[in-house]
Amino acid sequence: MSSKYTCNHNGSCVACDSSELQSEFCLANGYKQPLTCTWLADTPQEYKDKHQLPAFTGCDNLHDLEKRAFLRNHLTFVVLGFIAFGIYAWRRKRLYEYQSV
C-alpha cells in the first residue's frame, strides 16, 4: 500500500477469474478481496492523474473460506445420501409388496 491513499476491505474473498490469475493480487493463492480506496487530501493532482487506485488485494487468510466450502460439500453429500437411502428403502418395500401378492 502507498501513503498517498487509504483502503478498506469491501467484501469477502472471491476466486480470481482465469484472466486475472497473473495479476499481482491473485498470484499468491488465486483469491482476491475487493477494496474501497480514497486519495489522501495532500496527494498532488499530478500523482492522481498518473496512478490508479487499487480495486483488489490478495487474500491472506483463507481458512474460513475453505472451512465453509468443506462443510458445504459434506452437507451436500449427507443430504444426497439420505435421499438415495430413502429411494432405496421405498423401492425395496415396493418390490416386497409385489412379490407377496
Side-chain angles (χ1 to χ4, degrees), residues 16-30:
C16 296
D17 295 332
S18 59
S19 61
E20 298 174 321
L21 289 177
Q22 298 304 317
S23 300
E24 181 182 337
F25 50 83
C26 289
L27 284 176
N29 53 25

Side-chain angles (χ1 to χ4, degrees), residues 38-55:
T38 55
W39 294 107
L40 295 177
D42 61 345
T43 306
Q45 187 61 38
E46 294 171 2
Y47 186 85
K48 293 178 186 178
D49 293 341
K50 293 180 182 177
H51 296 84
Q52 188 176 4
L53 291 172

Side-chain angles (χ1 to χ4, degrees), residues 2-67:
S2 173
S3 61
K4 307 253 185 220
Y5 55 86
T6 59
C7 295
N8 293 316
H9 296 287
N10 185 20
S12 60
C13 294
V14 293
C16 296
D17 295 332
S18 59
S19 61
E20 298 174 321
L21 289 177
Q22 298 304 317
S23 300
E24 181 182 337
F25 50 83
C26 289
L27 284 176
N29 53 25
Y31 285 85
K32 63 184 178 181
Q33 187 169 15
L35 292 175
T36 302
C37 298
T38 55
W39 294 107
L40 295 177
D42 61 345
T43 306
Q45 187 61 38
E46 294 171 2
Y47 186 85
K48 293 178 186 178
D49 293 341
K50 293 180 182 177
H51 296 84
Q52 188 176 4
L53 291 172
F56 296 99
T57 186
C59 289
D60 296 331
N61 186 3
L62 292 175
H63 180 71
D64 292 337
L65 186 67
E66 290 175 355
K67 186 176 180 181

Side-chain angles (χ1 to χ4, degrees), residues 73-86:
N73 288 342
H74 277 68
L75 181 62
T76 301
F77 290 133
V78 167
V79 168
L80 288 175
F82 277 118
I83 291 171
F85 181 76

